[in-house]
Amino acid sequence: KELGCNFVRLTHYPHNEHTVRLADKLGILLWEEIPLWQGIQFSNPIILKKANILLDEMIARDRNRCAIILWSLSNETSPSESRDQTLTAMAAHARTLDPTRLITSAFNQVKYEKNQVTIDDSLSKALDVVGVNEYIGWYGQWPAKPDEVEWKCPFNKPLIMSEFGGEALYGNHGSPDTASSWSEEYQEQVYKDQLAMLKKIPFLRGTTPWILADFRSPGRMHPIYQQGWNRKGLLSDKGLKKKAWYVMRDYYEQLQAQHP
């Protein structure tokens, strides 16, 4: 609430029901997601059966919660015929369980060509809202100046930028143009650049920066800056505000002023 947000993506699994009830009380909108993430063997027919059970349980628990606006099917799955068939069937199943909410999914399949970024994941056909995870400026270089990057969506669907950002260790200061510095200044610059790009996307309908707070992640093995933590938080693991937090706070305040 202090950051100015009115929307949160719950990832990559349904959170404790107390979280959803709190969102109801605070007036925060929610994207809720089942744990279908990355290396799923979609060619195995048991996956659809198990995934539909996950949808059954999530939707049955929370479909009467006013905070929920989006049911998400998956996160960062690799395109394939079996993947598309499975997730399309899941989307249909979710709509039978709750025809009132929008269906989404987060993926990272986009095509870069010069200054253009095209959303080309075929799963988009089955979705009401497209979610894209992109880390331009962190895992990949900028294809052009941020305010000259042009996004295209041939599927004519609204977009939520479901992940973006970079890592910084709280209290570590350094160059704003050197990714390897892991500095608050570099993360701050990533967010400034991202916002310059996001403001130019006419079909963008929401943003969920990754992530609000640093969290434990044993696979993050950098011996100095990570030590078993994902450091992409706007807040440190102690809840202390990094420089990027203020960038997003100012952005959300500007949006609120434009749309009171």
Side-chain angles (χ1 to χ4, degrees):
K1 293 287 284 188
E2 185 183 357
L3 187 62
C5 297
N6 62 0
F7 170 62
V8 171
R9 179 185 176 206
L10 300 181
T11 53
H12 298 300
Y13 47 83
H15 289 209
N16 190 292
E17 63 184 309
H18 297 301
T19 302
V20 184
R21 292 180 179 183
L22 184 61
D24 274 355
K25 293 179 181 179
L26 295 175
I28 293 176
L29 307 176
L30 294 179
W31 157 323
E32 193 166 35
E33 189 169 288
I34 61 172
L36 215 64
W37 179 64
Q38 291 193 1
I40 304 295
Q41 188 182 15
F42 285 104
S43 57
N44 187 336
I46 199 173
I47 295 299
L48 177 58
K49 181 179 179 180
K50 288 186 174 184
N52 279 343
I53 292 173
L54 295 174
L55 285 173
D56 291 342
E57 293 174 347
M58 177 176 69
I59 294 174
R61 192 191 77 173
D62 290 336
R63 63 186 168 196
N64 291 322
R65 295 291 168 194
C66 60
I68 304 291
I69 62 169
L70 290 156
W71 301 122
S72 177
L73 307 175
S74 63
N75 177 71
E76 294 184 355
T77 55
S78 298
S80 69
E81 184 177 354
S82 59
R83 193 273 319 238
D84 285 5
Q85 290 175 348
T86 301
L87 292 178
T88 298
M90 288 168 55
H93 181 65
R95 290 185 177 105
T96 64
L97 299 172
D98 178 10
T100 69
R101 295 326 199 288
L102 300 172
I103 304 299
T104 191
S105 188
F107 53 74
N108 52 6
Q109 300 297 321
V110 295
K111 182 173 65 176
Y112 295 92
E113 186 175 357
K114 296 183 179 180
N115 71 318
Q116 291 187 350
V117 185
T118 302
I119 298 169
D120 66 347
D121 195 310
S122 53
L123 176 62
S124 303
K125 299 175 184 178
L127 305 176
D128 299 308
V129 178
V130 171
V132 172
N133 299 347
E134 55 85 10
Y135 289 98
I136 306 176
W138 183 246
Y139 292 129
Q141 295 182 339
W142 285 94
K145 293 181 179 179
D147 61 355
E148 295 178 356
V149 177
E150 182 180 358
W151 280 74
K152 294 182 176 295
C153 182
F155 303 97
N156 194 29
K157 301 288 179 73
L159 167 67
I160 290 176
M161 205 63 83
S162 41
E163 292 184 28
F164 60 99
E167 297 195 51
L169 179 65
Y170 175 80
N172 181 50
H173 298 290
S175 172
D177 58 4
T178 306
S180 59
S181 69
W182 292 72
S183 67
E184 287 192 46
E185 286 77 10
Y186 184 80
Q187 185 190 45
E188 177 186 37
Q189 189 60 49
V190 166
Y191 273 94
K192 288 179 178 179
D193 291 341
Q194 282 280 337
L195 294 181
M197 177 184 71
L198 295 175
K199 291 175 182 178
K200 296 295 185 72
I201 305 176
F203 51 93
L204 182 69
R205 294 295 177 267
T207 57
T208 50
W210 188 270
I211 191 170
L212 180 61
D214 290 355
F215 62 95
R216 288 194 182 277
S217 182
R220 306 286 172 166
M221 298 298 291
H222 195 290
I224 298 174
Y225 303 117
Q226 290 178 313
Q227 298 182 347
W229 290 83
N230 188 312
R231 297 296 187 185
K232 293 189 181 72
L234 299 176
L235 303 172
S236 75
D237 57 286
K238 304 297 184 183
L240 301 172
K241 299 179 179 71
K242 302 178 190 178
K243 288 179 175 292
W245 187 93
Y246 296 96
V247 175
M248 291 307 300
R249 190 272 312 272
D250 292 347
Y251 171 65
Y252 289 134
E253 284 187 348
Q254 291 170 12
L255 286 180
Q256 187 174 12
Q258 294 169 6
H259 307 282

